[in-house]
Amino acid sequence: MTAITDPVADYIRTELAPQSQGLELTPDYPLIQAGLVDSLGLFRLVTFLQDRFGIKIRAQEIVFDHFATLAAIEALVVAKQQSSEEAP
Amino acid sequence: MALPETAHLAALLRRSAARSPQAEALRDEAGALSYQALDRQSDRLALALMAQGIGRGQRVGIYLAKSCNAVVALFGILKCGAAYVPLDPDSPATRLALMVEDAALAALIGDGESLDALLPHLRQPPPLPISVAGEVTAAGRRSGWQPNQAPPVSTPPALAEEPTALAYILYTSGSTGEPKGVAISHAAALAFVHWAVGQFALRPEDRLACSAPLHFDLSIFDLLAGIAVGATVALVPATRALFPYALAEWLAHQRISVWYSVPSALIRLLHHGDLASHDLSALRLVLFAGEPFPLRELNQLRQVLPGPTYYNLYGPTETNVCTAYPLPPGGAPLPAPCPIGAARPGMVVYALDEAGASVAVGECGELYIGGDGLMEGYWHRPAATAAAFCRGPAGERLYRSGDRVRREAEGGYSFIGRRDAQVKVRGYRVELGEIEASLHDHPQLYGAAVVPLADSEGGQRLLAYYVPMAGAPVAVAELIRYCRARLPAYMVPERWEACAALPLTTTGKLDRQRLRALAAAVSVK
């Protein structure tokens, strides 16, 4: 687990899906398919990611491939952080 | 478009396949299926089922993700004369096992993986596991069937026309803690399909989005009315359903012309789909049902998407759509709440007071529903069926909806609320009593009560008050795990509050009003 996946996993466990408290959320655990992130939870998660990591996620980036797993979310956050560093 | 005179739903598919065999009937993430392929494949499945002795008077489960294969299974089951029973692939196996046993399924159509997960939960004798290709499947073995390889069968199964024969059974939440099966006949389903095809002028050029799962009766419109006219039914991909931008992109790319869903799906599209940036010019009709559409969001949607005609449809699973309200064109102002409209042709509705008399215009009463769309009854539950129906002023059979409505001056009705402890969560009807009964069985609880909380999507979330046994502290995580194993995800409460006792009324009943007042102080984070 990493500095990105740990807080995201904590947020999912405590705020979005209390039912996952006993689960080990591995980087490839299917968050969407297992129902841990649902329609309302998805946009709460987006807000959390933006606030926590200081990034801006655009509507067209909120797609299955970016939110399917913790690893996918991490990749999205890293990419957003890098692109904002490169920007002047 | 005129439909054939028939008493069998599958005759609608036969006719469309004969008229336009190469037209696209279905589309899912994996590909498309022509009318000819859908017809032939479901013929083959029907013959395979009949070879196993399955047919009239029996029931066959569909335990598949929404896909072309699931629709082949649906028509295959209808063609052999049996009724189909859709099982939600996302529900826990223990709850599905209750349905499988209650419906006494003769066979269960699934794939190897899904059947492996479910069959161990069933007591003897389990239904015959069958693949969509019609093979009896051994557990752990998947069939190597190729969807588009379907030679014609030499003798297609004859369709036995028997109007009162059951077409499908849909399970809904029941207050006693066990799901109830709503049994619908071919005649009732056909009455709805005939009305929908005419009312919405459905035609072969239409492309309907199927967003509801098979166990939700909104899918009857997309699949049966769409197939009846030879239109294309595009199944919303699971990877896009939750993601409004991706869904809007798909709607544009698929040139969807007819959309039917619960309001919350449309509200997500409105808030997060960036609808104005997509070309949704093909969309001519937007239908919604299942829960009230908050007026502010509905008006915003009509502004962002002024092209389509909008309808608010209303009807419990027991009747399918019984009233319809066409929204005024051009974004003209709506009354609050958005009305549910007047009875569709073939149906009658009455708003009655507690003495059984019609209420005056402007007054509220409970909605009673009669007509050609009524269910036959709750499967295998004569007492519950008898309690659900009564006789109307003209001696007709009426279903008591439990919904409170206001009679409007224009002749229609508006939905006001529920009479009892039933709520809607994400469009699903939930008996709070079913959740409470599950919790009551927990060895460390004296009891529990569940109340709805409003959420920011205009929907409802669930809050559970629970009373632990003295000296037996129980973790919330444990209660959630307990519910997850017994209830579908939408029925598992999100908020939990321990209390020493539940408030009771003077008659000793659970004081729901007081609980709701307590819950009003708790906000959904």
Side-chain angles (χ1 to χ4, degrees):
Chain A
M1 295 308 239
T2 70
I4 292 172
T5 56
D6 274 347
V8 175
D10 277 350
Y11 181 78
I12 291 171
R13 265 196 288 262
T14 55
E15 297 291 330
L16 299 188
Q19 70 268 28
S20 67
Q21 275 169 12
L23 288 174
E24 196 202 339
L25 294 183
T26 54
D28 59 351
Y29 189 87
L31 301 172
I32 307 288
Q33 278 143 339
L36 299 193
V37 177
D38 68 4
S39 57
L40 195 62
L42 176 66
F43 290 94
R44 289 167 63 196
L45 178 59
V46 167
T47 306
F48 168 79
L49 294 175
Q50 297 190 139
D51 293 350
R52 170 88 192 208
F53 300 109
I55 54 176
K56 178 84 186 89
I57 300 172
R58 291 179 300 163
Q60 56 266 48
E61 291 164 336
I62 305 172
V63 294
F64 180 82
D65 288 348
H66 289 157
F67 287 87
T69 62
L70 285 173
I73 293 171
E74 179 177 39
L76 172 68
V77 171
V78 168
K80 297 303 289 182
Q81 286 175 329
Q82 283 170 353
S83 66
S84 66
E85 277 164 19
E86 283 157 17
Chain B
M1 186 163 173
L3 295 182
E5 287 290 323
T6 175
H8 199 294
L9 285 166
L12 303 174
L13 168 60
R14 285 261 169 91
R15 205 274 299 248
S16 292
R19 286 167 74 114
S20 49
Q22 297 314 317
E24 186 175 299
L26 293 170
R27 174 164 284 277
D28 69 9
E29 263 180 312
L33 211 55
S34 69
Y35 270 94
Q36 185 178 67
L38 175 59
D39 195 35
R40 288 180 176 179
Q41 286 177 22
S42 51
D43 276 346
R44 294 175 71 80
L45 176 58
L47 291 174
L49 289 167
M50 292 159 86
Q52 297 291 338
I54 294 166
R56 277 173 65 184
Q58 290 180 305
R59 292 146 309 282
V60 177
I62 302 176
Y63 188 47
L64 289 166
K66 197 170 66 178
S67 56
C68 291
N69 280 355
V71 182
V72 169
L74 186 158
F75 280 103
I77 294 166
L78 291 176
K79 283 177 173 179
C80 86
Y84 76 87
V85 182
L87 301 176
D88 175 11
D90 293 330
S91 268
T94 48
R95 188 168 194 266
L96 295 178
L98 291 176
M99 299 177 189
V100 170
E101 287 169 13
D102 185 74
L105 298 182
L108 183 55
I109 298 177
D111 59 42
E113 279 173 25
S114 67
L115 292 174
D116 281 349
L118 180 58
L119 292 177
H121 289 273
L122 304 177
R123 286 174 294 198
Q124 296 296 324
L128 192 66
I130 286 185
S131 76
V132 185
E135 303 157 348
V136 176
T137 60
R141 193 169 62 80
R142 302 189 69 162
S143 82
W145 183 56
Q146 295 298 314
N148 264 317
Q149 294 173 4
V153 298
S154 51
T155 315
L159 304 179
E161 302 214 357
E162 193 186 338
T164 58
L166 295 187
Y168 53 89
I169 298 178
L170 302 181
Y171 276 86
T172 68
S173 180
S175 56
T176 56
E178 283 190 5
K180 289 188 295 200
V182 176
I184 304 282
S185 67
H186 279 263
L190 279 163
F192 166 71
V193 168
H194 275 270
W195 168 74
V197 164
Q199 177 69 44
F200 304 119
L202 298 179
R203 46 187 186 243
E205 299 74 35
D206 272 319
R207 296 181 62 84
L208 293 82
C210 178
S211 74
L214 292 187
H215 61 277
F216 198 171
D217 72 350
L218 270 64
S219 65
I220 301 301
F221 170 79
D222 315 318
L223 292 172
L224 295 177
I227 300 281
V229 299
T232 298
V233 182
L235 311 175
V236 174
T239 52
R240 291 181 187 264
L242 215 55
F243 298 92
Y245 189 91
L247 180 56
E249 219 171 40
W250 179 87
L251 291 174
H253 183 250
Q254 288 292 323
R255 305 289 299 158
I256 295 298
S257 64
V258 180
W259 172 268
Y260 183 27
S261 74
V262 290
S264 53
L266 286 163
I267 293 172
R268 285 199 302 279
L269 277 170
L270 170 71
H271 285 163
H272 305 288
D274 198 3
L275 289 177
S277 73
H278 300 279
D279 174 13
L280 300 179
S281 56
L283 190 62
R284 68 175 186 89
L285 190 62
V286 172
L287 313 175
F288 54 90
E291 57 192 357
F293 203 139
L295 220 48
R296 187 184 57 181
E297 279 75 13
L298 179 52
N299 283 328
Q300 285 171 359
L301 181 66
R302 295 160 81 212
Q303 262 181 359
V304 177
L305 281 184
T309 304
Y310 292 80
Y311 276 84
N312 185 15
L313 306 183
Y314 163 88
T317 307
E318 285 84 347
T319 70
N320 207 332
V321 173
C322 61
T323 70
Y325 176 77
L327 274 64
L334 286 171
C338 178
I340 59 172
R344 70 162 173 84
M347 298 294 276
V348 289
V349 295
Y350 303 98
L352 304 179
D353 64 19
E354 287 182 5
S358 270
V359 300
V361 165
E363 300 292 314
C364 292
E366 185 177 346
L367 196 69
Y368 287 71
I369 305 162
D372 56 18
L374 284 189
M375 68 169 174
E376 291 296 297
Y378 296 112
W379 174 251
H380 251 18
R381 287 171 199 265
T385 303
F389 288 111
C390 62
R391 291 287 162 190
E396 73 272 45
R397 205 165 69 126
L398 294 180
Y399 170 71
R400 184 180 184 186
S401 71
D403 284 341
R404 285 172 51 74
V405 299
R406 187 174 64 212
R407 191 173 161 198
E408 304 295 357
E410 306 76 42
Y413 298 87
S414 296
F415 175 82
I416 302 301
R418 285 291 304 174
R419 177 177 56 83
D420 52 19
Q422 209 182 61
V423 298
K424 284 283 183 97
V425 176
R426 294 175 234 165
Y428 289 95
R429 197 164 80 182
V430 171
E431 289 277 3
L432 299 176
E434 185 177 354
I435 308 171
E436 289 162 357
S438 280
L439 283 169
H440 197 80
D441 290 340
H442 191 283
Q444 284 158 284
L445 292 187
Y446 271 121
V450 180
V451 289
L453 288 174
D455 72 26
S456 61
E457 280 180 3
Q460 306 206 75
R461 300 268 153 163
L462 301 171
L463 163 64
Y465 288 98
Y466 63 99
V467 185
M469 293 208 176
V474 54
V476 168
E478 151 61 18
L479 294 177
I480 290 169
R481 268 197 297 276
Y482 187 82
C483 287
R484 287 282 296 190
R486 288 161 180 79
L487 301 168
Y490 59 85
M491 289 177 73
V492 179
E494 295 198 6
R495 296 287 301 263
W496 296 78
E497 304 275 342
C499 50
L502 297 171
L504 300 177
T505 64
T506 51
T507 56
K509 289 184 186 166
L510 183 65
D511 190 344
R512 292 201 179 271
Q513 283 193 342
R514 201 166 130 62
L515 274 177
R516 284 184 194 232
L518 283 172
V522 180
S523 69
V524 179
K525 277 187 282 185

